[in-house]
């Protein structure tokens, strides 16, 4: 694996973590170059930039901050996602030589994460979970509840290098799911957004009976990411 894998990085502000991910997007010097980042930040919500066009956005942001959940925007779409202690982010920046499918890119991050969960004694699958935040086909699910959310972003690369793909996973490690859901629903209500998420749709490693420290979990994830970092993993 080219590009040094990193263990857990902690950012004071969510915008710094989001920028660290974007810094991985520029095309590398060679095809097959893969970089990884595992990080967390302070308690906050992250929303698509498009939310800023909704009436009452500033007021909803101010109210959320008063509740202890500052709001940051990201360039990509999707829905509201949480950040904070007990929530880890895993990002892979990939440079396949040929254009893979979107599903293949998602599998590139889901496979090592699911391998890490198996080491913790957890059986997982990938599917949508109605009622979960930022729901998607490639949630990683344990016993019917969302444990991980995923997303990706593409950028055209230089000739001979191909696309640069950023795949991201948000893992509920030890977060209080009920508090996370309350924060998201309160923000949505203030924004007049008819999207409600439910606590029963989510779980965490702690709640599933697989407690592990953030640092130890980051090291476990990095180990499995390194083991799976082969070009063939994304060409299928």
């Amino acid at each position: 694996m080219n590009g040094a894998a990193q263990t857990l990085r902690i950012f004071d502000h969510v915008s710094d973590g989001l920028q660290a991910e974007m810094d991985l997007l520029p095309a590398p010097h060679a095809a097959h170059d893969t970089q990884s980042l595992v990080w967390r930040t302070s308690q906050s919500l992250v929303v698509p930039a498009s939310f800023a066009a909704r009436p009452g956005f500033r007021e909803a942001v101010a109210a959320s901050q008063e509740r202890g959940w500052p709001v940051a925007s990201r360039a990509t779409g999707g829905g509201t996602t949480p950040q904070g202690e007990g929530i880890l982010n895993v990002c892979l920046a990939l440079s396949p030589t040929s254009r893979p499918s979107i599903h293949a890119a998602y599998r590139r991050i889901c496979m090592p994460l699911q391998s890490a969960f198996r080491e913790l004694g957890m059986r997982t699958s990938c599917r949508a979970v109605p009622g979960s935040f930022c729901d998607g086909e490639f949630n990683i699910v344990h016993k019917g509840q969302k444990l991980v959310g995923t997303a990706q972003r593409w950028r055209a690369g230089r000739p001979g290098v191909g696309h640069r793909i950023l795949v991201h996973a948000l893992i509920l490690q030890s977060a209080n799911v009920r508090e996370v859901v309350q924060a998201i629903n309160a923000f949505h209500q203030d924004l007049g957004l008819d999207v409600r998420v439910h606590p029963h749709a989510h779980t965490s490693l702690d709640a599933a009976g697989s407690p592990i420290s953030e640092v130890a979990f980051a090291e476990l994830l990095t180990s499995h990411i390194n083991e799976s970092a082969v070009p063939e993993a994304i060409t299928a």
Side-chain angles (χ1 to χ4, degrees), residues 25-49:
L25 255 182
H29 295 294
H32 302 319
D33 185 32
T34 300
Q35 295 172 291
S36 66
L37 176 66
V38 182
W39 62 279
R40 80 155 171 86
T41 187
S42 56
Q43 181 169 286
S44 49
L45 299 178
V46 180
V47 302

Side-chain angles (χ1 to χ4, degrees), residues 92 108-109 111-113 222-231 233:
L92 297 182
R108 181 61 181 81
I109 196 167
M111 288 190 300
L113 267 59
T222 300
S223 172
H224 283 270
I225 288 167
N226 289 343
E227 292 173 1
S228 69
V230 293

Side-chain angles (χ1 to χ4, degrees), residues 47-49 51-62 71-73 187 190-191:
V47 302
F51 278 20
R54 294 185 64 88
F57 177 74
R58 290 185 179 180
E59 293 79 4
V61 168
V71 177
S73 296
F187 176 72
D190 290 342
L191 194 57

Side-chain angles (χ1 to χ4, degrees), residues 11 14-25 37 39:
F11 296 98
V14 64
S15 57
D16 295 329
L18 296 174
Q19 185 59 53
E21 290 195 345
M22 295 303 296
D23 289 343
L24 300 180
L25 255 182
L37 176 66
W39 62 279

Side-chain angles (χ1 to χ4, degrees), residues 46-48 51 74 76-82 133-135 184 188 193 195:
V46 180
V47 302
F51 278 20
R74 63 176 185 270
T76 52
T80 305
T81 57
F133 63 79
C134 201
D135 192 20
I184 293 173
H188 286 176
L193 193 64
V195 177

Side-chain angles (χ1 to χ4, degrees), residues 137-193:
E137 181 181 354
F138 280 87
N139 297 324
I140 297 179
V141 177
H142 175 66
K143 294 184 177 180
Q145 294 177 298
K146 178 172 181 168
L147 180 65
V148 179
T150 57
Q152 61 180 274
R153 182 170 186 172
W154 292 48
R155 178 177 290 179
R158 298 195 312 273
V161 175
H163 288 81
R164 187 69 163 167
I165 304 173
L166 200 67
V167 284
H168 172 269
L170 182 155
I171 306 170
L172 297 171
Q173 182 237 343
S174 61
N176 185 312
V177 168
R178 189 165 297 278
E179 290 181 359
V180 164
V181 167
Q182 287 176 344
I184 293 173
N185 283 336
F187 176 72
H188 286 176
Q189 182 174 350
D190 290 342
L191 194 57
L193 193 64

